[in-house]
Amino acid sequence: MRITSGRVAVMLAGATLIALPAAAQAMDVATFLAKASALQAKGIFAVGSPDIALLKNEVVGAANAYRADIAADAAAKRRPRACPPPRDKSPVKSNDIIASFQAIPAAQRGISVKAAFYRFMDKRFPCR
């Protein structure tokens, strides 16, 4: 049984819904995508890989920081950078995040996962 990109995405799906501590050092998009691709290539053997948790932690850390920034804007009565739905109603899937990262030109993939996640969310949930 091979793990497809969909299966890797399912493994990462809980990342935006659960709170895990953020990684100590920021990962860039190129590294994130390389690790996701390597997991996909491992097929079923990817299940025990520590890289799954590493990638989850990156996305969760970015998501938590993003939500905190939105909450800080609301508390300070500033216009928020975007207007995402509540966390439990968020239609964001890990496939969406990975596709967004893959759309970043290779020359620009040195940006952090956090910065790329912020761009993705800002574009996906603009305030109307």
Side-chain angles (χ1 to χ4, degrees):
M1 179 177 174
R2 280 193 44 118
I3 293 188
T4 63
S5 62
R7 290 182 195 268
V8 169
V10 168
M11 287 183 224
L12 297 173
T16 56
L17 302 177
I18 58 175
L20 297 174
Q25 189 173 10
M27 181 184 295
D28 64 32
V29 170
T31 302
F32 184 95
L33 291 174
K35 288 184 178 295
S37 181
L39 287 171
Q40 181 182 358
K42 286 183 180 182
I44 190 68
F45 300 107
V47 174
S49 174
D51 281 345
I52 292 173
L54 181 66
L55 297 181
K56 281 183 182 180
N57 287 344
E58 282 297 319
V59 173
V60 168
N64 288 342
Y66 190 82
R67 293 284 180 173
D69 285 352
I70 297 289
D73 287 342
K77 306 233 188 277
R78 291 187 301 257
R79 185 172 186 270
R81 62 182 302 129
C83 296
R87 187 181 301 261
D88 62 336
K89 304 246 192 262
S90 181
V92 174
K93 306 282 189 250
S94 56
N95 277 347
D96 301 332
I97 296 167
I98 291 170
S100 172
F101 290 2
Q102 289 171 332
I104 297 170
Q108 297 174 15
R109 290 183 181 174
I111 66 169
S112 69
V113 167
K114 180 181 175 183
F117 183 83
Y118 274 50
R119 286 183 191 176
F120 164 74
M121 293 294 286
D122 290 351
K123 184 175 179 183
R124 178 112 182 219
F125 300 108
C127 295
R128 309 234 183 252

